[in-house]
Amino acid sequence: MVVVLLVALSVLPAGWLRWASWFGELATTLVAPVSHVSGAVGRWLRPAERRAVDPDAALREQAEHFELLYRQQVEETRRLRELLSELQLQRDLSPGDAVRLLAAPVVATSSDLTSGILRVRAGSGDGVERNAVATVRGLQLLGRVVGVSSATCSVQPIVAKAAGAIQGRIILSEVAEDGSKPLGGGEEALLCVLDPVGDGTLRGLVEYRRAPSGDGPLLPKPGQVVRLDDARWVREAQALRIGIVRSVAPSATDAQRTIVVVQPEIPRLDRVGEVVLRLTRREAETGEAPRR
């Protein structure tokens, strides 16, 4: 009967067996005081063997320790240089905007793959508000703030299924390998509505528009940059990079339209370690300095 009961319990969902943790806590409470005494008696009856100290081994261990510290400092210096370049790039590309850039580490990620929520160590005390924009590595759009507490905030990446559709423009004259060109009014672009697929990419239909020369429709190509153009997002987010066109295919439902798959420049937006929040400067509107 005990064996049958254990087999039956082993196939039940974990949520149905939470009551069993009470027995584990009870057993730990009873065994913990005794285990310390029995461990001390065991060490007294059979003490650990004493090995001769090898001075060369001790020196090698110290050398490995200092080498580890050196490598950690080199990696930290590299990370800070990249962050400084990222902040400088964002400031240079929007010199007239009343935007304050705040770099903050990601302290936790969601176990729910559909939401993809990132917990960031920056909250209302730092001036973070709901719908604030989060970026990573230059001008790559990460997502927006969906919840704020006093010390942390929750950021939902654009690649999470719960984030929903996002509208962007495929800049036909801007190719990722050619560098970042500013978004100008005279550039040819195609609107697209992208939905997160769940594998780190976005997929959606592209508008149909004929070329000004009349030589057929304008078509996107792999490698072209997709930038945000969505009125549901705040002004500070417009023209940020959504990603790069990876593939183009004809639509199965509309012969005149195409479907694109867009890949953000960061392969896993839901697993980044640090983000840059683009916050509206309070002092630019109210004369009030931002809270720190």
Side-chain angles (χ1 to χ4, degrees), residues 2-251:
V2 172
V3 171
V4 172
L5 179 61
L6 291 177
V7 171
L9 292 176
S10 66
V11 298
L12 291 177
W16 294 9
L17 301 177
R18 293 177 181 174
W19 56 269
S21 61
W22 180 84
F23 295 98
E25 295 175 358
L26 177 61
T28 302
T29 303
L30 297 176
V31 173
V34 181
S35 62
H36 178 72
V37 177
S38 60
V41 173
R43 289 189 294 271
W44 175 71
L45 293 176
R46 188 175 181 179
E49 296 181 1
R50 293 186 177 181
R51 298 182 179 180
V53 178
D54 185 1
D56 294 337
L59 290 175
R60 285 195 299 269
E61 183 176 352
Q62 287 185 356
E64 292 177 357
H65 174 68
F66 286 115
E67 182 181 2
L68 174 63
L69 293 178
Y70 167 74
R71 293 184 181 277
Q72 289 176 341
Q73 289 300 318
V74 169
E75 180 63 23
E76 179 66 11
T77 302
R78 183 193 63 79
R79 186 189 67 83
L80 292 176
R81 284 179 177 176
E82 289 182 353
L83 178 60
L84 181 61
S85 300
E86 176 181 342
L87 294 176
Q88 187 62 44
L89 174 62
Q90 296 198 32
R91 189 177 299 275
D92 292 343
L93 291 179
S94 55
D97 292 344
V99 175
R100 179 168 62 96
L101 304 178
L102 175 64
V106 177
V107 296
T109 58
S110 174
S111 58
D112 185 2
L113 299 179
T114 59
S115 68
I117 296 294
L118 302 177
R119 181 70 65 179
V120 178
R121 190 181 298 165
S124 57
D126 302 293
V128 181
E129 298 178 350
R130 192 178 178 88
N131 292 327
V133 181
T135 61
V136 61
R137 289 194 189 177
L139 299 178
Q140 169 64 57
L141 177 63
L142 170 65
R144 55 181 165 186
V145 176
V146 294
V148 184
S149 65
S150 59
T152 63
C153 65
S154 300
V155 176
Q156 187 168 62
I158 58 175
V159 295
K161 283 192 172 183
I166 187 172
Q167 182 172 292
R169 281 184 179 269
I170 303 174
I171 312 302
L172 303 182
S173 59
E174 183 177 6
V175 182
E177 289 73 11
D178 295 339
S180 178
K181 294 175 58 180
L183 180 61
E187 291 184 325
E188 290 290 349
L190 293 173
L191 284 175
C192 59
V193 179
L194 304 171
D195 289 291
V197 179
D199 59 354
T201 62
L202 301 101
R203 182 176 182 271
L205 283 170
V206 182
E207 71 167 331
Y208 176 83
R209 192 150 55 86
R210 298 189 65 85
S213 60
D215 297 334
L218 291 174
L219 296 176
K221 297 179 181 179
Q224 291 173 339
V225 176
V226 183
R227 295 184 178 273
L228 181 69
D229 186 5
D230 197 325
R232 295 170 297 179
W233 288 65
V234 296
R235 184 175 59 87
E236 292 79 19
Q238 304 303 322
L240 289 175
R241 285 193 176 192
I242 297 176
I244 309 298
V245 176
R246 289 307 179 202
S247 64
V248 180
S251 172

